Amino acid sequence: MKYRAEVMISLKKGMLNPEASTIQRALALLDYQVDETATIEIIKFSLKAKSTDEAREQVDQMCQRLLCNPVIHNYQININSGDE
Amino acid sequence: MKYRAEVMISLKKGMLNPEASTIQRALALLDYQVDETATIEIIKFSLKAKSTDEAREQVDQMCQRLLCNPVIHNYQININSGDE
């Protein structure tokens, strides 16, 4: 069966986020005052698995082996069954 | 009043996404077969505004002036009232 997976990757608390700081500084230059800027990346894909649990287990392995750096990232996995 | 804004930025249909292709190829090298890989970026920040509508209007301006490239990106704005 086909599943849609969504991995949300954010930086752990206390990690510097240069991208977010740059955005905030650039917005300030345009006279927009914003605070607590953060960025999150979402990676979406579809995969085949026998069950939701198996799909989640596979995606978790992908996160640990490739998609995330567990030292600096938090990640959250959402699995939806595809539309077949 | 303080609002939390969330901007979801994705590539328009038909745009090449080299980041997603690279992820998909790298996963294939590790023997994970995935399809329809896409990436989305979320930028979160808090801002001050008089109403939700004003906040949304401001964030929309930020998107058009700095955060997004309307030629290649779709964006979606979520505004939540802060917890004060």
Side-chain angles (χ1 to χ4, degrees), chain A residues 2 4 8 19 22-23 26-27 30 32-48 58 61-62 65-67, chain B residues 2 4 8 19 22-23 26-27 30 32-48 58 61-62 65-67:
Chain A
K2 201 173 167 185
R4 292 287 308 158
M8 285 184 68
E19 188 186 9
T22 306
I23 290 170
L27 285 174
L30 295 174
Y32 298 110
Q33 304 306 328
V34 306
D35 273 317
E36 303 165 68
T37 312
T39 57
I40 295 174
E41 171 152 36
I42 297 183
I43 303 172
K44 282 174 150 182
F45 50 84
S46 60
L47 76 166
K48 284 191 179 131
Q58 267 195 47
Q61 280 181 26
M62 294 178 203
R65 292 181 68 188
L66 179 79
L67 303 177
Chain B
K2 202 171 166 184
R4 294 286 307 158
M8 286 185 68
E19 188 186 10
T22 307
I23 290 170
L27 284 173
L30 295 173
Y32 298 109
Q33 305 306 328
V34 305
D35 274 318
E36 303 166 69
T37 311
T39 56
I40 295 174
E41 172 152 36
I42 297 183
I43 303 172
K44 283 174 152 183
F45 50 83
S46 59
L47 77 164
K48 287 193 176 127
Q58 266 195 48
Q61 279 181 25
M62 293 178 205
R65 293 182 66 188
L66 180 79
L67 303 176

Short mmCIF file of all heavy atoms in Angstrom, two decimals, chain A residues 2 4 8 19 22-23 26-27 30 32-48 58 61-62 65-67, chain B residues 2 4 8 19 22-23 26-27 30 32-48 58 61-62 65-67:
data_model
loop_
_atom_site.label_atom_id
_atom_site.label_comp_id
_atom_site.label_asym_id
_atom_site.label_seq_id
_atom_site.Cartn_x
_atom_site.Cartn_y
_atom_site.Cartn_z
N LYS A 2 0.31 2.32 -0.54
CA LYS A 2 1.07 3.54 -0.71
C LYS A 2 0.75 4.52 0.42
O LYS A 2 -0.41 4.72 0.75
CB LYS A 2 0.70 4.15 -2.06
CG LYS A 2 1.73 5.10 -2.61
CD LYS A 2 1.33 5.51 -4.02
CE LYS A 2 2.14 6.68 -4.51
NZ LYS A 2 1.67 7.12 -5.83
N ARG A 4 1.67 8.49 2.18
CA ARG A 4 2.30 9.81 2.05
C ARG A 4 2.99 10.11 3.37
O ARG A 4 2.36 10.07 4.43
CB ARG A 4 1.25 10.89 1.81
CG ARG A 4 0.54 10.85 0.49
CD ARG A 4 1.37 11.26 -0.69
NE ARG A 4 2.01 12.56 -0.51
CZ ARG A 4 3.09 12.94 -1.20
NH1 ARG A 4 3.65 12.15 -2.08
NH2 ARG A 4 3.63 14.13 -1.00
N MET A 8 8.85 16.79 9.41
CA MET A 8 9.07 18.19 9.79
C MET A 8 10.37 18.28 10.57
O MET A 8 10.49 17.67 11.63
CB MET A 8 7.96 18.68 10.71
CG MET A 8 6.67 18.96 9.99
SD MET A 8 5.44 19.66 11.13
CE MET A 8 6.16 21.26 11.48
N GLU A 19 19.83 31.36 9.26
CA GLU A 19 18.84 31.69 8.23
C GLU A 19 17.74 32.57 8.83
O GLU A 19 17.38 33.61 8.28
CB GLU A 19 18.23 30.39 7.69
CG GLU A 19 17.35 30.60 6.48
CD GLU A 19 16.64 29.32 6.05
OE1 GLU A 19 16.70 28.31 6.80
OE2 GLU A 19 16.02 29.34 4.98
N THR A 22 18.96 36.05 9.65
CA THR A 22 19.12 36.87 8.44
C THR A 22 17.77 37.38 7.96
O THR A 22 17.63 38.55 7.59
CB THR A 22 19.78 36.03 7.32
OG1 THR A 22 20.99 35.49 7.84
CG2 THR A 22 20.09 36.88 6.12
N ILE A 23 16.76 36.50 7.99
CA ILE A 23 15.41 36.92 7.59
C ILE A 23 14.92 38.05 8.48
O ILE A 23 14.41 39.06 8.02
CB ILE A 23 14.43 35.72 7.68
CG1 ILE A 23 14.75 34.70 6.58
CG2 ILE A 23 12.98 36.18 7.58
CD1 ILE A 23 14.02 33.38 6.73
N ALA A 26 16.75 41.24 7.70
CA ALA A 26 16.34 41.79 6.40
C ALA A 26 14.95 42.42 6.51
O ALA A 26 14.69 43.48 5.94
CB ALA A 26 16.35 40.70 5.34
N LEU A 27 14.06 41.78 7.27
CA LEU A 27 12.71 42.35 7.46
C LEU A 27 12.82 43.68 8.21
O LEU A 27 12.10 44.64 7.91
CB LEU A 27 11.81 41.38 8.22
CG LEU A 27 11.28 40.18 7.42
CD1 LEU A 27 10.52 39.22 8.34
CD2 LEU A 27 10.36 40.64 6.29
N LEU A 30 13.52 46.53 6.08
CA LEU A 30 12.33 46.98 5.34
C LEU A 30 11.27 47.55 6.28
O LEU A 30 10.11 47.74 5.90
CB LEU A 30 11.73 45.81 4.55
CG LEU A 30 12.58 45.20 3.43
CD1 LEU A 30 11.89 43.98 2.85
CD2 LEU A 30 12.81 46.23 2.33
N TYR A 32 9.88 46.13 8.97
CA TYR A 32 8.95 45.19 9.59
C TYR A 32 9.61 44.65 10.85
O TYR A 32 10.65 44.00 10.76
CB TYR A 32 8.63 44.02 8.66
CG TYR A 32 7.97 44.42 7.37
CD1 TYR A 32 8.64 44.34 6.17
CD2 TYR A 32 6.65 44.87 7.37
CE1 TYR A 32 8.03 44.71 4.98
CE2 TYR A 32 6.04 45.24 6.19
CZ TYR A 32 6.73 45.16 5.00
OH TYR A 32 6.12 45.53 3.83
N GLN A 33 9.03 44.93 12.01
CA GLN A 33 9.63 44.46 13.25
C GLN A 33 9.02 43.11 13.63
O GLN A 33 7.86 43.05 14.00
CB GLN A 33 9.39 45.47 14.39
CG GLN A 33 9.89 46.88 14.09
CD GLN A 33 11.37 46.93 13.68
OE1 GLN A 33 12.17 46.11 14.14
NE2 GLN A 33 11.72 47.85 12.79
N VAL A 34 9.80 42.06 13.52
CA VAL A 34 9.30 40.74 13.92
C VAL A 34 10.26 40.12 14.93
O VAL A 34 11.40 40.54 15.06
CB VAL A 34 9.12 39.79 12.71
CG1 VAL A 34 8.25 40.42 11.64
CG2 VAL A 34 10.45 39.41 12.12
N ASP A 35 9.76 39.13 15.66
CA ASP A 35 10.53 38.50 16.74
C ASP A 35 10.43 37.00 16.65
O ASP A 35 9.53 36.47 15.99
CB ASP A 35 9.92 38.88 18.09
CG ASP A 35 10.49 40.18 18.58
OD1 ASP A 35 11.70 40.36 18.47
OD2 ASP A 35 9.68 41.01 19.06
N GLU A 36 11.26 36.33 17.40
CA GLU A 36 11.19 34.87 17.57
C GLU A 36 11.09 34.16 16.23
O GLU A 36 10.27 33.25 16.05
CB GLU A 36 9.97 34.49 18.43
CG GLU A 36 9.95 35.15 19.79
CD GLU A 36 8.57 35.04 20.46
OE1 GLU A 36 8.18 33.93 20.81
OE2 GLU A 36 7.87 36.08 20.58
N THR A 37 11.89 34.59 15.29
CA THR A 37 11.87 34.00 13.96
C THR A 37 12.47 32.59 13.99
O THR A 37 13.49 32.37 14.63
CB THR A 37 12.67 34.88 12.98
OG1 THR A 37 12.23 36.22 13.15
CG2 THR A 37 12.46 34.44 11.54
N ALA A 38 11.82 31.67 13.34
CA ALA A 38 12.32 30.30 13.28
C ALA A 38 12.00 29.74 11.90
O ALA A 38 11.09 30.21 11.22
CB ALA A 38 11.67 29.45 14.35
N THR A 39 12.77 28.76 11.48
CA THR A 39 12.47 28.12 10.20
C THR A 39 12.30 26.61 10.43
O THR A 39 12.94 26.03 11.31
CB THR A 39 13.59 28.33 9.17
OG1 THR A 39 14.80 27.84 9.72
CG2 THR A 39 13.76 29.79 8.81
N ILE A 40 11.44 26.04 9.64
CA ILE A 40 11.18 24.60 9.72
C ILE A 40 11.22 24.09 8.29
O ILE A 40 10.72 24.76 7.38
CB ILE A 40 9.80 24.33 10.33
CG1 ILE A 40 9.77 24.80 11.78
CG2 ILE A 40 9.42 22.86 10.22
CD1 ILE A 40 8.41 24.70 12.41
N GLU A 41 11.81 22.93 8.11
CA GLU A 41 11.78 22.35 6.77
C GLU A 41 10.86 21.14 6.77
O GLU A 41 10.88 20.32 7.70
CB GLU A 41 13.19 21.95 6.36
CG GLU A 41 13.15 21.16 5.07
CD GLU A 41 14.39 21.28 4.23
OE1 GLU A 41 15.48 21.35 4.82
OE2 GLU A 41 14.25 21.28 2.99
N ILE A 42 10.07 21.03 5.71
CA ILE A 42 9.22 19.85 5.56
C ILE A 42 9.66 19.10 4.31
O ILE A 42 9.83 19.69 3.26
CB ILE A 42 7.74 20.23 5.44
CG1 ILE A 42 7.27 20.92 6.71
CG2 ILE A 42 6.87 19.01 5.16
CD1 ILE A 42 5.81 21.28 6.70
N ILE A 43 9.88 17.80 4.47
CA ILE A 43 10.16 16.95 3.32
C ILE A 43 8.98 16.00 3.17
O ILE A 43 8.60 15.33 4.12
CB ILE A 43 11.46 16.14 3.52
CG1 ILE A 43 12.62 17.09 3.79
CG2 ILE A 43 11.77 15.28 2.30
CD1 ILE A 43 13.91 16.38 4.19
N LYS A 44 8.38 15.99 1.98
CA LYS A 44 7.22 15.13 1.72
C LYS A 44 7.59 14.11 0.66
O LYS A 44 8.27 14.45 -0.30
CB LYS A 44 6.08 15.97 1.14
CG LYS A 44 5.31 16.80 2.12
CD LYS A 44 4.33 17.66 1.34
CE LYS A 44 3.09 17.95 2.15
NZ LYS A 44 2.12 18.74 1.37
N PHE A 45 7.12 12.91 0.81
CA PHE A 45 7.30 11.93 -0.26
C PHE A 45 6.29 10.82 -0.08
O PHE A 45 5.59 10.74 0.94
CB PHE A 45 8.74 11.39 -0.29
CG PHE A 45 9.26 10.92 1.04
CD1 PHE A 45 8.98 9.65 1.48
CD2 PHE A 45 10.03 11.76 1.83
CE1 PHE A 45 9.46 9.21 2.71
CE2 PHE A 45 10.51 11.33 3.06
CZ PHE A 45 10.23 10.05 3.50
N SER A 46 6.21 9.96 -1.08
CA SER A 46 5.33 8.80 -0.93
C SER A 46 6.18 7.54 -0.95
O SER A 46 7.25 7.51 -1.57
CB SER A 46 4.28 8.78 -2.04
OG SER A 46 4.89 8.72 -3.28
N LEU A 47 5.73 6.54 -0.24
CA LEU A 47 6.49 5.28 -0.19
C LEU A 47 5.52 4.12 -0.07
O LEU A 47 4.35 4.31 0.27
CB LEU A 47 7.48 5.28 0.98
CG LEU A 47 6.95 5.07 2.41
CD1 LEU A 47 8.11 4.76 3.33
CD2 LEU A 47 6.21 6.29 2.93
N LYS A 48 6.03 2.94 -0.36
CA LYS A 48 5.20 1.75 -0.26
C LYS A 48 5.55 1.00 1.02
O LYS A 48 6.72 0.84 1.36
CB LYS A 48 5.42 0.84 -1.47
CG LYS A 48 4.72 1.40 -2.69
CD LYS A 48 4.69 0.43 -3.85
CE LYS A 48 3.96 1.07 -5.02
NZ LYS A 48 4.69 0.94 -6.27
N GLN A 58 10.07 2.86 8.67
CA GLN A 58 11.00 3.14 7.56
C GLN A 58 11.41 4.59 7.52
O GLN A 58 12.58 4.92 7.33
CB GLN A 58 10.32 2.80 6.23
CG GLN A 58 10.57 1.40 5.74
CD GLN A 58 10.17 1.27 4.27
OE1 GLN A 58 10.51 2.11 3.43
NE2 GLN A 58 9.43 0.24 3.97
N GLN A 61 13.83 5.49 10.16
CA GLN A 61 15.19 5.08 9.78
C GLN A 61 15.82 6.07 8.80
O GLN A 61 16.99 6.43 8.93
CB GLN A 61 15.17 3.70 9.12
CG GLN A 61 15.10 2.54 10.08
CD GLN A 61 15.10 1.21 9.32
OE1 GLN A 61 15.60 1.11 8.21
NE2 GLN A 61 14.51 0.19 9.92
N MET A 62 15.02 6.51 7.80
CA MET A 62 15.55 7.48 6.82
C MET A 62 16.01 8.75 7.53
O MET A 62 17.05 9.32 7.20
CB MET A 62 14.46 7.87 5.82
CG MET A 62 14.00 6.75 4.93
SD MET A 62 12.68 7.35 3.85
CE MET A 62 11.87 5.81 3.44
N ARG A 65 19.25 8.04 9.34
CA ARG A 65 20.40 7.75 8.49
C ARG A 65 20.76 8.89 7.55
O ARG A 65 21.91 9.02 7.15
CB ARG A 65 20.14 6.48 7.66
CG ARG A 65 20.09 5.24 8.54
CD ARG A 65 19.84 3.99 7.71
NE ARG A 65 20.97 3.67 6.84
CZ ARG A 65 20.93 2.72 5.90
NH1 ARG A 65 19.82 2.03 5.72
NH2 ARG A 65 21.98 2.47 5.16
N LEU A 66 19.75 9.69 7.15
CA LEU A 66 20.06 10.67 6.12
C LEU A 66 19.43 12.05 6.33
O LEU A 66 20.10 13.07 6.21
CB LEU A 66 19.60 10.14 4.75
CG LEU A 66 19.85 11.08 3.57
CD1 LEU A 66 21.30 11.02 3.13
CD2 LEU A 66 18.94 10.74 2.39
N LEU A 67 18.13 12.07 6.63
CA LEU A 67 17.43 13.35 6.53
C LEU A 67 17.75 14.32 7.66
O LEU A 67 17.74 15.53 7.46
CB LEU A 67 15.91 13.11 6.46
CG LEU A 67 15.42 12.21 5.32
CD1 LEU A 67 13.92 11.99 5.43
CD2 LEU A 67 15.76 12.81 3.98
N LYS B 2 -0.14 40.88 19.98
CA LYS B 2 0.92 40.08 19.39
C LYS B 2 0.33 38.88 18.63
O LYS B 2 -0.58 38.22 19.13
CB LYS B 2 1.81 39.57 20.52
CG LYS B 2 3.20 39.18 20.10
CD LYS B 2 4.04 38.90 21.33
CE LYS B 2 5.32 38.19 20.99
NZ LYS B 2 6.09 37.84 22.20
N ARG B 4 1.23 35.32 16.13
CA ARG B 4 2.22 34.38 15.59
C ARG B 4 1.89 34.15 14.12
O ARG B 4 0.76 33.79 13.79
CB ARG B 4 2.14 33.02 16.31
CG ARG B 4 2.53 33.00 17.76
CD ARG B 4 4.01 33.12 18.00
NE ARG B 4 4.79 32.13 17.25
CZ ARG B 4 6.07 32.29 16.95
NH1 ARG B 4 6.72 33.38 17.31
NH2 ARG B 4 6.72 31.36 16.29
N MET B 8 4.13 29.31 4.81
CA MET B 8 4.54 28.06 4.16
C MET B 8 4.88 28.35 2.72
O MET B 8 4.03 28.80 1.96
CB MET B 8 3.40 27.05 4.17
CG MET B 8 3.15 26.43 5.52
SD MET B 8 1.88 25.14 5.39
CE MET B 8 2.73 23.90 4.42
N GLU B 19 16.74 20.14 -4.65
CA GLU B 19 16.91 19.63 -3.29
C GLU B 19 16.13 18.33 -3.13
O GLU B 19 16.66 17.32 -2.65
CB GLU B 19 16.40 20.67 -2.28
CG GLU B 19 16.72 20.33 -0.85
CD GLU B 19 16.07 21.29 0.14
OE1 GLU B 19 15.23 22.12 -0.28
OE2 GLU B 19 16.40 21.20 1.34
N THR B 22 17.68 15.47 -5.07
CA THR B 22 18.89 14.96 -4.41
C THR B 22 18.53 14.06 -3.24
O THR B 22 19.12 12.99 -3.05
CB THR B 22 19.76 16.14 -3.92
OG1 THR B 22 19.98 17.01 -5.01
CG2 THR B 22 21.08 15.65 -3.37
N ILE B 23 17.55 14.48 -2.46
CA ILE B 23 17.09 13.66 -1.32
C ILE B 23 16.61 12.31 -1.83
O ILE B 23 16.97 11.26 -1.30
CB ILE B 23 15.97 14.39 -0.55
CG1 ILE B 23 16.52 15.60 0.19
CG2 ILE B 23 15.26 13.44 0.41
CD1 ILE B 23 15.45 16.51 0.77
N ALA B 26 19.50 10.18 -2.96
CA ALA B 26 20.31 9.72 -1.83
C ALA B 26 19.58 8.61 -1.07
O ALA B 26 20.19 7.63 -0.63
CB ALA B 26 20.62 10.90 -0.90
N LEU B 27 18.25 8.74 -0.93
CA LEU B 27 17.48 7.69 -0.26
C LEU B 27 17.54 6.40 -1.08
O LEU B 27 17.64 5.30 -0.52
CB LEU B 27 16.03 8.13 -0.07
CG LEU B 27 15.76 9.15 1.06
CD1 LEU B 27 14.33 9.64 1.02
CD2 LEU B 27 16.10 8.57 2.43
N LEU B 30 20.47 4.39 -0.43
CA LEU B 30 20.38 3.65 0.84
C LEU B 30 19.28 2.58 0.77
O LEU B 30 18.87 2.03 1.80
CB LEU B 30 20.08 4.60 2.00
CG LEU B 30 21.16 5.64 2.33
CD1 LEU B 30 20.64 6.62 3.38
CD2 LEU B 30 22.43 4.96 2.84
N TYR B 32 16.06 2.96 -0.05
CA TYR B 32 14.69 3.37 0.27
C TYR B 32 14.08 3.93 -1.01
O TYR B 32 14.58 4.92 -1.55
CB TYR B 32 14.67 4.46 1.34
CG TYR B 32 15.25 4.04 2.66
CD1 TYR B 32 16.46 4.54 3.09
CD2 TYR B 32 14.57 3.15 3.47
CE1 TYR B 32 17.01 4.16 4.32
CE2 TYR B 32 15.09 2.75 4.69
CZ TYR B 32 16.31 3.26 5.10
OH TYR B 32 16.83 2.87 6.31
N GLN B 33 13.04 3.27 -1.51
CA GLN B 33 12.41 3.74 -2.74
C GLN B 33 11.27 4.69 -2.40
O GLN B 33 10.25 4.26 -1.88
CB GLN B 33 11.88 2.55 -3.56
CG GLN B 33 12.93 1.49 -3.88
CD GLN B 33 14.17 2.06 -4.58
OE1 GLN B 33 14.07 3.03 -5.34
NE2 GLN B 33 15.33 1.49 -4.30
N VAL B 34 11.45 5.96 -2.68
CA VAL B 34 10.38 6.92 -2.44
C VAL B 34 10.09 7.69 -3.72
O VAL B 34 10.89 7.71 -4.64
CB VAL B 34 10.72 7.90 -1.29
CG1 VAL B 34 11.07 7.16 -0.03
CG2 VAL B 34 11.83 8.85 -1.69
N ASP B 35 8.91 8.29 -3.77
CA ASP B 35 8.44 9.00 -4.96
C ASP B 35 7.88 10.35 -4.59
O ASP B 35 7.57 10.60 -3.44
CB ASP B 35 7.28 8.21 -5.60
CG ASP B 35 7.79 7.16 -6.54
OD1 ASP B 35 8.72 7.48 -7.28
OD2 ASP B 35 7.28 6.03 -6.48
N GLU B 36 7.64 11.15 -5.62
CA GLU B 36 6.94 12.44 -5.46
C GLU B 36 7.51 13.24 -4.30
O GLU B 36 6.77 13.79 -3.48
CB GLU B 36 5.44 12.19 -5.19
CG GLU B 36 4.75 11.38 -6.27
CD GLU B 36 3.38 10.87 -5.80
OE1 GLU B 36 2.48 11.69 -5.65
OE2 GLU B 36 3.25 9.64 -5.59
N THR B 37 8.83 13.30 -4.23
CA THR B 37 9.48 14.04 -3.15
C THR B 37 9.32 15.54 -3.37
O THR B 37 9.47 16.03 -4.49
CB THR B 37 10.97 13.68 -3.11
OG1 THR B 37 11.08 12.26 -3.14
CG2 THR B 37 11.63 14.21 -1.85
N ALA B 38 8.98 16.24 -2.32
CA ALA B 38 8.84 17.70 -2.39
C ALA B 38 9.34 18.30 -1.10
O ALA B 38 9.39 17.63 -0.06
CB ALA B 38 7.37 18.06 -2.61
N THR B 39 9.75 19.54 -1.16
CA THR B 39 10.16 20.21 0.08
C THR B 39 9.34 21.49 0.25
O THR B 39 8.94 22.12 -0.72
CB THR B 39 11.65 20.59 0.05
OG1 THR B 39 11.89 21.41 -1.09
CG2 THR B 39 12.55 19.37 -0.02
N ILE B 40 9.10 21.81 1.49
CA ILE B 40 8.35 23.02 1.83
C ILE B 40 9.14 23.72 2.92
O ILE B 40 9.69 23.06 3.80
CB ILE B 40 6.95 22.65 2.36
CG1 ILE B 40 6.13 22.00 1.24
CG2 ILE B 40 6.23 23.86 2.91
CD1 ILE B 40 4.80 21.47 1.71
N GLU B 41 9.19 25.03 2.84
CA GLU B 41 9.85 25.75 3.93
C GLU B 41 8.81 26.52 4.72
O GLU B 41 7.89 27.12 4.16
CB GLU B 41 10.89 26.71 3.36
CG GLU B 41 11.42 27.59 4.46
CD GLU B 41 12.83 28.07 4.25
OE1 GLU B 41 13.19 28.33 3.08
OE2 GLU B 41 13.57 28.18 5.25
N ILE B 42 8.97 26.46 6.04
CA ILE B 42 8.08 27.26 6.89
C ILE B 42 8.91 28.30 7.62
O ILE B 42 9.96 27.98 8.18
CB ILE B 42 7.36 26.37 7.91
CG1 ILE B 42 6.47 25.36 7.20
CG2 ILE B 42 6.53 27.20 8.88
CD1 ILE B 42 5.66 24.50 8.13
N ILE B 43 8.46 29.55 7.56
CA ILE B 43 9.10 30.60 8.34
C ILE B 43 8.08 31.06 9.38
O ILE B 43 6.95 31.40 9.04
CB ILE B 43 9.50 31.79 7.45
CG1 ILE B 43 10.43 31.32 6.32
CG2 ILE B 43 10.19 32.88 8.27
CD1 ILE B 43 10.71 32.39 5.29
N LYS B 44 8.49 31.01 10.65
CA LYS B 44 7.59 31.41 11.74
C LYS B 44 8.15 32.63 12.43
O LYS B 44 9.36 32.72 12.62
CB LYS B 44 7.55 30.31 12.81
CG LYS B 44 6.72 29.12 12.49
CD LYS B 44 6.92 28.10 13.59
CE LYS B 44 5.70 27.21 13.77
NZ LYS B 44 5.91 26.26 14.88
N PHE B 45 7.30 33.53 12.81
CA PHE B 45 7.77 34.66 13.62
C PHE B 45 6.58 35.28 14.33
O PHE B 45 5.43 34.94 14.06
CB PHE B 45 8.51 35.69 12.76
CG PHE B 45 7.78 36.12 11.52
CD1 PHE B 45 6.81 37.10 11.57
CD2 PHE B 45 8.05 35.52 10.30
CE1 PHE B 45 6.13 37.49 10.44
CE2 PHE B 45 7.38 35.90 9.15
CZ PHE B 45 6.41 36.89 9.22
N SER B 46 6.86 36.18 15.26
CA SER B 46 5.76 36.89 15.91
C SER B 46 5.87 38.36 15.55
O SER B 46 6.95 38.88 15.30
CB SER B 46 5.81 36.69 17.42
OG SER B 46 7.01 37.15 17.93
N LEU B 47 4.72 38.99 15.47
CA LEU B 47 4.70 40.41 15.12
C LEU B 47 3.57 41.10 15.86
O LEU B 47 2.67 40.46 16.38
CB LEU B 47 4.55 40.59 13.60
CG LEU B 47 3.18 40.40 12.95
CD1 LEU B 47 3.18 40.99 11.57
CD2 LEU B 47 2.82 38.92 12.89
N LYS B 48 3.65 42.42 15.91
CA LYS B 48 2.59 43.19 16.58
C LYS B 48 1.69 43.81 15.53
O LYS B 48 2.16 44.33 14.52
CB LYS B 48 3.20 44.28 17.45
CG LYS B 48 3.83 43.71 18.70
CD LYS B 48 4.17 44.77 19.71
CE LYS B 48 4.72 44.11 20.97
NZ LYS B 48 6.00 44.65 21.38
N GLN B 58 0.16 42.62 6.63
CA GLN B 58 1.60 42.90 6.79
C GLN B 58 2.45 41.72 6.32
O GLN B 58 3.44 41.89 5.63
CB GLN B 58 1.93 43.16 8.26
CG GLN B 58 1.92 44.61 8.66
CD GLN B 58 2.59 44.79 10.02
OE1 GLN B 58 3.67 44.29 10.27
NE2 GLN B 58 1.93 45.51 10.89
N GLN B 61 2.58 41.41 2.65
CA GLN B 61 3.56 42.36 2.08
C GLN B 61 4.99 41.83 2.22
O GLN B 61 5.79 41.92 1.29
CB GLN B 61 3.47 43.70 2.80
CG GLN B 61 2.35 44.60 2.33
CD GLN B 61 2.37 45.93 3.09
OE1 GLN B 61 3.40 46.35 3.58
NE2 GLN B 61 1.21 46.55 3.19
N MET B 62 5.29 41.27 3.42
CA MET B 62 6.65 40.73 3.64
C MET B 62 6.95 39.64 2.62
O MET B 62 8.05 39.55 2.09
CB MET B 62 6.76 40.12 5.04
CG MET B 62 6.68 41.11 6.16
SD MET B 62 6.76 40.22 7.75
CE MET B 62 5.92 41.39 8.81
N ARG B 65 7.57 41.22 -0.76
CA ARG B 65 8.77 42.06 -0.87
C ARG B 65 10.05 41.29 -0.59
O ARG B 65 11.10 41.67 -1.08
CB ARG B 65 8.67 43.25 0.10
CG ARG B 65 7.58 44.21 -0.29
CD ARG B 65 7.53 45.39 0.63
NE ARG B 65 8.72 46.25 0.56
CZ ARG B 65 8.96 47.25 1.39
NH1 ARG B 65 8.11 47.52 2.37
NH2 ARG B 65 10.04 47.99 1.28
N LEU B 66 9.99 40.25 0.24
CA LEU B 66 11.24 39.61 0.64
C LEU B 66 11.20 38.08 0.70
O LEU B 66 12.10 37.41 0.19
CB LEU B 66 11.66 40.15 2.02
CG LEU B 66 12.96 39.57 2.57
CD1 LEU B 66 14.16 40.21 1.92
CD2 LEU B 66 13.05 39.69 4.08
N LEU B 67 10.17 37.53 1.33
CA LEU B 67 10.26 36.11 1.70
C LEU B 67 10.08 35.17 0.51
O LEU B 67 10.67 34.10 0.48
CB LEU B 67 9.24 35.78 2.79
CG LEU B 67 9.35 36.61 4.09
CD1 LEU B 67 8.22 36.25 5.04
CD2 LEU B 67 10.69 36.38 4.77
#
